[in-house]
Amino acid sequence: MADAAHVARLRLLRTPRIGPVSYRQLIARFGDAASALAALPDLARRGGGAGPAIPDARTIEREMARTDKAGAAYLFIDDPAYPPLLATLDDAPAALTWRGDLALAARTTVAMVGARNASAAACRFARQLASELGREEVAVVSGLARGIDTAAHVGALAGGTIAIVAGGIDVAYPPENAALQERIAQEGLLIAEQPPGIEPRARHFPYRNRIIAGLALGTVVVEAAPRSGSLITARLAGEAGREVMAVPGSPLDPRAQGCNTLIRDGATLVQSAADVLETIRPIDARMVRAPGSDYAPAPPVDADDAARRGVEKLLGPVPVAVDEIIRQAGLAPAAVQTVLLELELAGRLERHAGGRVSLA
């Protein structure tokens, strides 16, 4: 029999319209997942919509069995082993699946990302940089993509590497990295946010990128074209208060434009492992805090109809920061968060990166 509390948590997490932010708010308000599940229909009704379809326990038990068959385990955000740096994100994953050595996530960690169609020189540099960081007991985290990601993982295998996959933990992507993915699961650490069996889709990669950035004290971009996924990871790292570093390249190579732009805009120029260590080590101790500190149950806060109308009036199709809504609404932050939660459960609100929301 699966643990009833874990089943309830996963039922809540796998419910449509419930993301990391709303999950944490529900747990904080109701104390546990079972109580939150019971409250969902009423909260959605207050938001003006029908409640989301909640998966039954049997569906979750099948997922848990598949996770176990893959040799993986679950890690919830209030677990003491949850990566402390990742826990500081407002939208930190409420649950992860993992294989390998979880202790790697508690080490000094640097993310390394870059172009999938990277040049041979850039791949060689990434492999060498990752190897040198590993010898300094720095774990290298990346996304197991082609190009720079692959080179970083290969270089860091001996010293410690963490791979974040966009799909389920039992799905190899890209297919040519299946052997590398399995080797990382055996010798390093493999992490997934999506349930097992889920094939990666385009919408999954930004979620994966926030985990890559969130696990690390800083992100190194080795080679990246403008508007690439690597620059999204760098932006997410900056928004999380982490260091952004970039390797300069020739202005004649389009694959170097992203890195050169990052350096122009203030990123730290990196030419060696010594540059990376000089950047991250002064902030190592300052960044780490105990995970799960946001899980202390809070007293319920209800919002009346006037508060709901006031918050809804401030919302529109353009994403706006929640802090700005709180400022303009003139209401207690907890009351505004309650209204936003009700609208989200009703399917009328979308959450965006950077703590912004808009009407669906």
Side-chain angles (χ1 to χ4, degrees):
M1 289 289 290
D3 181 86
H6 284 183
V7 170
R9 287 182 172 198
L10 289 171
R11 288 181 68 203
L12 185 61
L13 270 173
R14 305 303 184 226
T15 298
R17 306 175 198 160
I18 293 182
V21 175
S22 50
Y23 175 89
R24 295 173 79 139
Q25 291 175 348
L26 286 165
I27 294 295
R29 176 168 180 173
F30 295 101
D32 58 69
S35 301
L37 285 168
L40 288 185
D42 184 56
L43 289 172
R45 179 188 55 78
R46 294 183 197 177
I54 302 172
D56 58 27
R58 187 166 298 179
T59 299
I60 297 303
E61 287 170 357
R62 285 196 295 268
E63 176 192 320
M64 296 176 77
R66 183 162 185 167
T67 300
D68 186 64
K69 184 179 179 180
Y74 288 96
L75 182 66
F76 292 93
I77 193 170
D78 56 348
D79 190 300
Y82 193 92
L85 278 175
L86 185 60
T88 65
L89 299 186
D90 291 336
D91 60 349
L96 299 165
T97 54
W98 63 278
R99 292 178 61 196
D101 182 7
L102 194 57
L104 283 174
R107 280 169 50 175
T108 300
T109 306
V110 168
M112 195 177 300
V113 296
R116 287 176 169 82
N117 63 335
S119 65
C123 288
R124 180 182 178 182
F125 180 84
R127 193 162 53 246
Q128 178 181 334
L129 182 64
S131 177
E132 292 174 357
L133 289 172
R135 287 196 289 271
E136 296 292 332
E137 297 188 346
V138 174
V140 174
V141 57
S142 196
L144 206 62
R146 301 177 181 94
I148 297 300
D149 288 23
T150 297
H153 286 307
V154 171
L157 266 170
T161 190
I162 305 169
I164 315 299
V165 294
I169 201 162
D170 56 346
V171 177
Y173 185 86
E176 62 265 31
N177 274 356
L180 177 60
Q181 181 168 323
E182 181 60 28
R183 189 176 174 190
I184 292 172
Q186 297 292 332
E187 302 176 26
L189 176 61
L190 184 68
I191 292 177
E193 181 180 16
Q194 299 301 322
I198 297 297
E199 295 283 343
R201 298 288 182 264
R203 67 180 184 276
H204 295 150
F205 288 93
Y207 296 119
R208 180 206 61 176
N209 292 347
R210 89 186 192 285
I211 300 175
I212 294 172
L215 274 171
L217 289 167
T219 293
V220 180
V221 185
V222 177
E223 204 171 58
R227 296 182 297 277
S228 65
S230 301
L231 296 188
I232 293 175
T233 306
R235 176 178 58 80
L236 292 170
E239 290 176 351
R242 313 298 166 82
E243 293 293 328
V244 178
M245 296 161 276
V247 178
S250 169
L252 301 178
D253 189 344
R255 292 170 294 192
Q257 288 182 15
C259 289
N260 291 342
T261 300
L262 285 174
I263 294 169
R264 183 195 65 191
D265 293 342
T268 300
L269 188 152
V270 166
Q271 299 181 93
S272 66
D275 294 335
V276 176
L277 296 172
E278 182 182 357
T279 301
I280 65 169
R281 284 201 160 147
I283 61 171
D284 197 343
R286 174 173 57 85
M287 289 292 298
V288 179
R289 70 177 176 92
S293 62
D294 293 331
Y295 267 76
V301 176
D302 288 319
D304 56 25
D305 290 339
R308 292 188 184 91
R309 288 193 298 269
V311 172
E312 286 188 53
K313 185 183 296 184
L314 295 172
L315 292 168
V318 178
V320 62
V322 173
D323 288 345
E324 184 62 26
I325 295 173
I326 292 172
R327 234 183 332 264
Q328 295 195 31
L331 299 168
V336 173
Q337 294 285 7
T338 294
V339 175
L340 296 178
L341 177 62
E342 293 170 354
L343 291 171
E344 184 177 16
L345 293 174
R348 300 177 58 204
L349 183 88
E350 290 184 8
R351 294 189 185 269
H352 305 268
R356 297 173 301 148
V357 295
S358 68
L359 287 179

